[in-house]
């Protein structure tokens, strides 16, 4: 795909007014629709736009235009620039903070200073989008609103992302020579063998030297004594005699 000329409509206006090219040739060169070029010629489109000379702009040569005027099927070719213009990459400056969140920046700075003192001021400036003087005023409690500043996580405030915060903390830890993963170990579920009252716990504390006993049969109930009339009266006779003697 060929390169689009600078200011296509203004270039088309100039070509319509100063050349004998067809609407199709101008439309193909300027990447416009043929009816749009016809509207430019009729004055219905691009009214008030001043034409831009592509020849003086170094986008096409006069010989190329003359060649296209002689052959209506010829397609104009834009000149490729011989100068390599290096595209300047945007430097990573302070993060933009929405107006609605700018009042929360001192709280975020206080949180970073308390919980991540290893972060340099430059890293805090990028995370929060603030200035060095503001960081200094929050650190030494000389901020105009120091009485109302309370540490709040900048991620929860929406000022920076958790990924950017973790990256800045890890980078600062590497520079300080500290291990990046000095956080508390992640807590997991307790193994079943450590929970009392479970079969796994009993099996882990089982002593092989301890004798084992086969499961015994359930104890049988003792047979209930049988009583008859003679035995009952025999036991009552001594009691009756004792009463008569008294």
């Amino acid at each position: 795909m060929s390169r689009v000329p600078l200011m296509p409509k203004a270039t088309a206006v100039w070509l319509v007014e100063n050349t004998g090219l067809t609407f199709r040739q101008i439309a193909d060169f300027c990447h416009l629709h043929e009816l749009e070029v016809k509207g430019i010629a009729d004055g219905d489109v691009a009214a008030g736009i001043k034409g831009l000379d592509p020849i003086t702009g170094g986008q096409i040569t006069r010989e190329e235009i003359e060649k296209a005027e002689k052959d209506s099927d010829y397609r104009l070719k834009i000149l490729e620039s011989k100068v390599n213009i290096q595209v300047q990459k945007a430097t990573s400056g302070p993060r933009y903070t929405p107006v609605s969140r700018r009042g929360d920046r001192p709280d975020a700075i206080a949180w970073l200073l308390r919980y991540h003192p290893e972060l340099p001021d430059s890293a805090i400036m990028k995370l929060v989008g603030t200035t060095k003087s503001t960081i200094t005023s929050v650190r030494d409690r000389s901020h105009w609103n120091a009485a109302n500043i309370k540490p709040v996580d900048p991620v929860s405030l929406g000022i920076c992302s958790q990924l950017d915060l973790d990256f800045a903390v890890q980078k600062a830890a590497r520079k300080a020579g500290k291990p990046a993963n000095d956080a508390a170990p992640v807590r997991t579920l307790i193994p079943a063998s450590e929970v009392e009252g479970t079969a796994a716990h009993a099996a882990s504390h089982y002593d092989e030297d301890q004798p084992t006993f086969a499961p015994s049969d359930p104890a049988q109930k003792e047979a209930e004594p049988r009583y008859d009339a003679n035995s009952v009266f025999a036991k009552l006779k001594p009691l009756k005699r004792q009463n008569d003697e008294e």
Side-chain angles (χ1 to χ4, degrees), residues 58-101:
Q59 301 183 84
I60 198 172
T61 61
R62 187 171 298 277
E63 290 77 11
E64 184 74 8
I65 294 177
E66 293 176 354
K67 184 177 180 179
E69 288 175 341
K70 295 176 182 178
D71 185 4
S72 58
D73 295 331
Y74 183 78
R75 296 293 177 261
L76 294 170
K77 297 178 183 179
I78 191 169
L79 292 176
E80 297 293 337
S81 178
K82 297 181 180 179
V83 179
N84 294 328
I85 302 176
Q86 296 181 356
V87 179
Q88 186 177 3
K89 296 182 180 179
T91 57
S92 56
R95 181 184 299 275
Y96 172 76
T97 306
V99 178
S100 59
R101 297 292 184 185

Side-chain angles (χ1 to χ4, degrees), residues 134-224:
T134 304
I135 298 173
T136 304
S137 62
V138 173
R139 180 184 287 113
D140 57 16
R141 305 291 296 175
S142 62
H143 193 272
W144 64 273
N145 196 27
N148 298 322
I149 294 177
K150 56 184 181 302
V152 182
D153 187 359
V155 178
S156 63
L157 293 174
I159 296 179
C160 67
S161 64
Q162 186 65 49
L163 184 63
D164 293 337
L165 177 60
D166 294 342
F167 179 77
V169 171
Q170 292 175 4
K171 185 178 180 181
R174 286 195 301 268
K175 287 186 177 180
K178 299 179 181 179
N181 298 326
D182 57 353
V186 180
R187 299 184 63 184
T188 58
L189 294 176
I190 301 175
S193 59
E194 298 181 8
V195 180
E196 295 183 1
T198 60
H201 180 269
S204 63
H205 292 77
Y206 175 74
D207 189 2
E208 296 181 354
D209 297 334
Q210 183 178 0
T212 58
F213 300 93
S216 59
D217 296 334
Q220 298 181 354
K221 293 183 178 179
E222 295 182 357
E224 296 181 355

Side-chain angles (χ1 to χ4, degrees), residues 100-117:
S100 59
R101 297 292 184 185
R102 291 179 183 177
D104 300 331
R105 283 188 294 192
D107 297 339
I109 295 171
W111 189 90
L112 293 173
L113 293 175
R114 172 177 293 185
Y115 295 102
H116 295 286

